[in-house]
Amino acid sequence: MAAVDKKTFKREPQTTEDAGSRGQQQKRQRVERQKAQPTGELKIDARKLWEVLRRGDLDAEVRKVKMKEMMDMLRGHIKEVTFKHDMSRVVQTCLKYGNDEQRSEIAAELNGSYVDLSRSQYGRYILMRILKYCPKYRDEVIKSFYGHVRKLVRHKEAAHVLEECFAVYANSKQKWNLVAEFYGREFAVFKSIDGPKSLDAVLATTPQKRETAMDSLKSTVTPLLEKGTVQYSIVHRALLDYIRFADPSERQQVIETMRELVVEILHTRDGAHAAMLCLLYGSVKDRKAMLKAFKPYLQRICCEEYGYAVLVEALDCIDDTVFVNKAVLQDVCGMMSELLADQYGRRIPLFVLGGRNPHYVGSDALQ
C-alpha cells in the first residue's frame, strides 16, 4: 500500500471569523447549560443587574431602585446561589450597598448555613460581609461556630472567618467560649453564661481538670505546629496556655517544634507572650534558632507593638554576647535612624543602653 502523504491532511488555517463564530457558539452553549439549571435564569438576570449595581459612580437614587429589584429577584433563593463564584459577588454587593433592612434579610435567610459558608471558597466572603455590615447577626455567626472550633481552625477557608470573629468582633466571653473548645469536649458542649473566662480560673476552681485540658490542647496544637498554621490569634491563645501550664518535658517538646515558627506569632499580645516564654524556658539551642529566624524581619519586629518586647526578652535572657552582637546588635546599629523615629523601635537601643528601666522600656517587656 502506498504511503499516505500526511501533508494532505493538514487543517486549513483558522480565520478570525471562524474563531469568532466558534467563541460565540461556545458562549451560547454555556448560557444554555446555565438556563437548564434550576436557578439558571435567575443567575443570568442577577448578573446583568449586578453589572449596573456594582458601579461606583451610580447615582444613589438609582442604586436604591436597583437594590430593590435585586432583592425582589433573589428573595427566597439566596441560600441556593451563594456557594457559586459569580453569585457570591452578587450577594456581597447587596450587603455592601443595601440598607439595614435588606442586609438583615440576607443574613436571616442564610442563618443556619453560617458554618457551611465559612468552609466555602466563595461563601466565606459573604460571611465576612455579614460580620461587617450586620451587627445584629454577629452573635448568631459566632454562636454557630460553637462546637466546631477545633475543625474550623484547621480548615483552609473557615480559619480566616474564625480569626475575624475571634480577633475583631467577639467580646471576652465569646472569645473564651471559642478558645475553650481546645481544652476538651466538656467545654465544647456546655457553654456557661456566668462561668470562668480563662484557663487560670478553671484550674483554680477545678485543678483536677488540668491533665484533661493539657491532653486536649496538645492534640489540637501539635497538628497546627506541624502544618505551620500558627498565624491566627486564637491559636496564639492556645499556645500561650499550653506553654504556661504544661509539664516541663512536654513544654520543651513544643518549644523545639515551634522555635522556627515563633517569628510568625509576634504580632499579637498572646503570641508575643508565648514567644517570650519560649525564650525563657527554651534551651540555648532553641534561643539561638529563634534569633536566627528573627534576623530577616528584625526591623519589622523592633517596630511592632508587641514584637519589640520579644526582642527585649531575647537580649535580656541570652548570655552569649558574641552571638547576640552578630545576630541582633550589628543590624540594630545599621537601622538606628529608623528605630529612633518609631515609638516602639526606639525602645530596643534604650534597653541596650539603659537596661531594665520601665521609664524607657514598656512594662509588657519587663514582666
Side-chain angles (χ1 to χ4, degrees):
M1 184 182 290
V4 179
D5 188 3
K6 294 183 179 180
K7 293 183 179 179
T8 60
F9 291 90
K10 282 188 174 181
R11 291 183 177 181
E12 292 293 329
Q14 193 177 45
T15 64
T16 307
E17 292 181 0
D18 292 336
S21 61
R22 179 171 296 179
Q24 292 293 330
Q25 183 180 0
Q26 291 175 345
K27 185 175 181 180
R28 285 195 298 270
Q29 291 174 348
R30 186 167 61 251
V31 171
E32 289 172 3
R33 286 196 301 269
Q34 290 176 347
K35 287 182 177 180
Q37 297 174 1
T39 56
E41 293 283 355
L42 170 66
K43 292 177 182 178
I44 293 171
D45 295 339
R47 284 199 299 270
K48 289 180 181 178
L49 185 56
W50 172 70
E51 289 293 344
V52 178
L53 188 61
R54 73 190 185 104
R55 286 171 46 191
D57 60 346
L58 192 65
D59 182 74
E61 293 301 322
V62 176
R63 192 186 302 282
K64 288 181 181 180
V65 175
K66 297 298 181 183
M67 266 302 307
K68 186 178 184 305
E69 292 179 20
M70 181 68 81
M71 290 302 300
D72 291 340
M73 189 184 303
L74 295 179
R75 189 172 289 112
H77 302 284
I78 295 175
K79 191 178 293 188
E80 301 173 36
V81 301
T82 49
F83 293 92
K84 300 296 183 181
H85 169 65
D86 48 358
M87 290 304 295
S88 171
R89 296 214 173 185
V90 172
V91 178
Q92 289 176 57
T93 302
C94 291
L95 286 166
K96 181 178 180 181
Y97 292 119
N99 56 39
D100 291 342
E101 183 180 350
Q102 291 166 338
R103 291 169 176 171
S104 296
E105 185 178 351
I106 294 172
E109 192 165 332
L110 292 174
N111 197 358
S113 303
Y114 293 151
V115 175
D116 294 332
L117 279 173
S118 71
R119 292 182 175 135
S120 169
Q121 182 179 1
Y122 308 115
R124 73 178 179 97
Y125 295 105
I126 295 175
L127 206 53
M128 293 282 205
R129 296 273 182 169
I130 290 174
L131 287 169
K132 182 178 180 180
Y133 294 115
C134 305
K136 294 180 181 179
Y137 284 85
R138 286 173 189 164
D139 289 347
E140 294 296 326
V141 174
I142 294 171
K143 287 178 182 177
S144 71
F145 290 163
Y146 291 170
H148 305 280
V149 174
R150 296 183 66 175
K151 291 183 179 180
L152 295 180
V153 77
R154 300 178 190 178
H155 194 279
K156 178 182 177 182
E157 309 295 342
H160 294 283
V161 184
L162 181 63
E163 169 67 8
E164 189 80 1
C165 290
F166 184 84
V168 180
Y169 298 110
N171 57 38
S172 61
K173 185 59 183 178
Q174 290 169 333
K175 286 183 177 181
W176 163 248
N177 284 333
L178 290 171
V179 77
E181 296 189 18
F182 294 154
Y183 308 139
R185 294 182 181 179
E186 173 188 346
F187 298 99
V189 176
F190 302 105
K191 303 292 184 182
S192 59
I193 300 175
D194 300 321
K197 296 182 181 179
S198 67
L199 186 58
D200 303 68
V202 171
L203 298 183
T205 55
T206 53
Q208 65 272 18
K209 293 183 179 180
R210 176 177 177 177
E211 184 177 354
T212 304
M214 290 301 101
D215 290 342
S216 181
L217 259 179
K218 185 177 181 180
S219 66
T220 302
V221 166
T222 303
L224 295 173
L225 291 175
E226 291 173 351
K227 291 176 63 177
T229 53
V230 295
Q231 67 269 35
Y232 306 115
S233 57
I234 190 172
V235 179
H236 300 175
R237 174 73 65 84
L239 284 170
L240 174 60
D241 285 340
Y242 187 78
I243 294 171
R244 289 176 61 212
F245 295 105
D247 293 332
S249 59
E250 295 181 343
R251 179 172 59 207
Q252 184 59 36
Q253 291 177 5
V254 169
I255 292 174
E256 289 176 3
T257 304
M258 66 179 295
R259 62 190 179 192
E260 304 292 340
L261 301 172
V262 165
V263 70
E264 298 184 25
I265 68 173
L266 307 182
H267 57 280
T268 66
R269 183 186 295 275
D270 291 332
H273 192 179
M276 293 167 73
L277 292 179
C278 287
L279 286 165
L280 184 63
Y281 293 122
S283 64
V284 173
K285 184 178 180 181
D286 296 330
R287 292 169 179 174
K288 289 186 176 181
M290 291 179 209
L291 274 192
K292 287 180 181 178
F294 291 172
K295 195 172 178 65
Y297 314 99
L298 196 58
Q299 182 175 344
R300 182 177 173 182
I301 293 171
C302 290
C303 298
E304 279 190 343
E305 181 180 2
Y306 306 112
Y308 89 92
V310 180
L311 202 55
V312 167
E313 180 68 24
L315 295 173
D316 197 27
C317 69
I318 296 178
D319 297 329
D320 190 343
T321 55
V322 175
F323 176 74
V324 170
N325 182 50
K326 290 181 179 179
V328 178
L329 295 183
Q330 289 181 1
D331 292 334
V332 166
C333 292
M335 60 181 76
M336 190 64 71
S337 59
E338 291 84 358
L339 297 185
L340 293 177
D342 186 83
Q343 61 172 328
Y344 300 110
R346 67 172 67 104
R347 299 181 185 186
I348 302 301
L350 286 173
F351 175 78
V352 174
L353 297 173
R356 297 175 60 85
N357 189 334
H359 184 69
Y360 301 116
V361 183
S363 59
D364 288 346
L366 301 178
Q367 290 178 353

